[in-house]
Structure formats: C-alpha cells, structure tokens
Amino acid sequence: MPESNRLLEPILDWYAGNARDLPWRAPGASPWSILVSEIMLQQTPVVRVLPVWTEWMERWPTPASLARESPGEAVRHWGRLGYPRRALNLHACARAITERHGGEVPTGHDALLALPGVGEYTAAAVASFAFKGRHAVLDTNVRRVLARAVSGQEYPPKATTPPERRLAASLLPDADRAPVWAVAVMELGALVCTARAARCADCPISDLCAWRLAGKPAHDGPARRGQTYAGTDRQCRGRLLAVLRQAHGAVPKDALDVVWDDAPQRERALDGLVTDGLAEVLDDGTYRLPG
DNA sequence: CAAGCGTGGGC
DNA sequence: TGCCCAAGCTT
C-alpha cells in the first residue's frame, strides 16, 4: 500500500470553495466540448480560449458538424489562439471520431491517445474529466505543485520524467475522487501555486509544502527558456496565415509578399504552411486556407 | 530528444 | 522593456 496522500483533503476542500466557473466544467458539458477545450488550452491561457471555445461550440456542437467542414474553416475560426495546427488536429479528430467511433468521443485512454494532437496529458485529461476515469493528469500546473509540495523544488524538470509519473500515480485517490483530485491540483497550480509570485498565503497545503518549508530556495541551474519571437519563422508564418484567415477565398501572392520583407524567409515560411496543411497553392498561383 | 510551433499579457 | 509564461504535441 502506498502512503496515504496527505495533500488530498486540503486540496479537495480548497477546490470546493475556489474553483473557477468554467463552461467546460459544467455538469452538462459534452465529451466533445471537453476535448475541444483541452486542445485549445494547450499552451494557451483560459481567458483567450473562452470566447473561441464558445463560438466553436455554437457552430460545431458535435464532431459530425465539424467533420462536415473543410479544414480551412477550422483554421479560420481558430482566430488568433496560436499554434493553428491545433485547429487542423481538432478537425482531424472530428473526422476520426465520426469515421472510427460512430460519432462519439472514445472513452478509453488509448483510443484518445490515438487521436491527432492528443498526447499523454490530453488523453488523461479527457478520460478523467469527461469520462471520470482514474488517471494521473500531469500538466505543467500539476508538475509544478508536486515539484514544490513534495520534492521541494521551485520548478519541475523541463520534460516529464518517470519519477514524476510515479509520484503522480502514487498520489491518485480512489476512483470516486480521482477526477476531482486531478482538476483540483491543476486549479491550485493555476490560481495559487503559480510559476512566478506563488501565493503561499492562500495555499491550503502551505504547512505541508517541502519547498516553502525549505525557505523557498530559488531554482538552481540554467535559465529555463530562451525563445525570442521577433524575426522568426514563427512570426512570419503567423503574419502569412493571418492574411489567409481574413480573406475569404484565394489570395494573390502579392498580398502575402507585403507582410514580410525578407523574401527567402517568407518563401520558406509559406512552403512550411503548405507542407503543414495550413495553406494551399492553387493552379493560378494564388493561396488559400485548405479546402 | 531537443527543437519547432503562435500569440498576447504580466511584471 | 524585454523576458517569461500559458491545461503540449510532433518529429
């Protein structure tokens, strides 16, 4: 028997009084709406997801309704959420679900994992939140809470490690409480145990937290990230795709050329968009979202 | 497996 | 102001 989880009750109690009222957590939220929310939330803050998710749910309330559209429509209505390949992934999910799963989001972790754009985290999240399965749900929030509370480190490793998975698995409560435990730890990381300026005064497990008890030592080791954005291919792709999104119909190449000066980089980025299925070249040399 | 992939907001 | 970060996935 694993040692009992002393974090469980304080975190569940805290969640009961502090959970945000997010629409994909409503009792009637469909598995599809939860899957859409999880893909949209990958690397993207809740406040930016909310309006897009709402529009998508009105427009495409079921996998079948999205599957009937062209992939380009998904990209267009993705707006400025970022990482637009996720729109293609969701469109491909919709088609896979209608073709292989009778139009219903699959309930099992493995079947979810086989869907495009669904990785270890998203499969566990949907299996847990939509179908009330018992899974360790390890997102950046949970990893940070466990790193601090249990391991005494300010930040988790850059990539998820086997010890982290073992720890998360060992903390899983019984099947009845596993889903709420998963969402509660995530919420604690999102609202209290934040990456910067952790609000330890509001934390329900501050008296158990190894990191706080150690005096909140600063992260040792190299700086964790260093990605500039200005001038990158990513920025260029974003500019080009914005033109295609806002135009309805084909766009002459001139209209793309004007948004980025560096021609070789622009061509490379445009080729990349086509390769990735985010844009199409027509016979007359014009460009558009994928049809 | 490290790198690439968007975008906007907070400090 | 620039840097860091936000419910990751894929190759």
Side-chain angles (χ1 to χ4, degrees), chain A residues 84-207:
Chain A
R85 62 180 49 172
R86 294 180 294 161
L88 292 180
N89 289 150
L90 268 174
H91 182 265
C93 277
R95 290 201 167 162
I97 289 166
T98 56
E99 289 163 17
R100 305 205 308 258
H101 299 287
E104 303 291 333
V105 176
T107 62
H109 183 277
D110 291 350
L112 288 163
L113 195 56
L115 294 173
V118 175
E120 184 181 352
Y121 160 75
T122 303
V126 173
S128 176
F129 304 154
F131 301 113
K132 306 306 177 188
R134 184 171 181 269
H135 300 275
V137 179
L138 261 187
D139 80 324
T140 187
N141 291 303
V142 175
R143 295 182 61 221
R144 188 174 55 248
V145 170
L146 298 185
R148 290 176 182 172
V150 180
S151 308
Q153 304 290 321
E154 184 178 17
Y155 297 118
K158 301 189 70 127
T160 306
T161 61
E164 285 184 276
R165 292 191 184 86
R166 268 183 264 118
L167 173 60
S170 77
L171 295 175
L172 267 181
D174 56 85
D176 284 347
R177 290 182 294 180
V180 66
W181 159 252
V183 72
V185 183
M186 283 180 61
E187 192 77 334
L188 185 65
L191 298 183
V192 174
C193 193
T194 49
R196 287 171 297 188
R199 300 168 54 195
C200 299
D202 299 326
C203 182
I205 55 170
S206 61
D207 57 340

Side-chain angles (χ1 to χ4, degrees), chain A residues 203-272:
Chain A
C203 182
I205 55 170
S206 61
D207 57 340
L208 303 173
C209 176
W211 182 54
R212 195 191 66 85
L213 293 174
K216 299 169 72 169
H219 177 75
D220 60 344
R224 308 187 314 154
R225 283 201 180 98
Q227 59 161 28
T228 51
Y229 180 63
T232 60
D233 285 13
R234 270 154 96 163
Q235 185 185 30
C236 183
R237 287 166 57 107
R239 292 251 189 104
L240 296 170
L241 196 61
V243 174
L244 299 183
R245 243 194 275 111
Q246 288 153 20
H248 286 255
V251 171
K253 189 153 186 315
D254 294 351
L256 296 169
D257 291 342
V258 297
V259 302
W260 198 264
D261 287 335
D262 183 334
Q265 184 179 32
R266 189 179 65 231
E267 297 309 311
R268 182 171 69 243
L270 195 49
D271 285 348

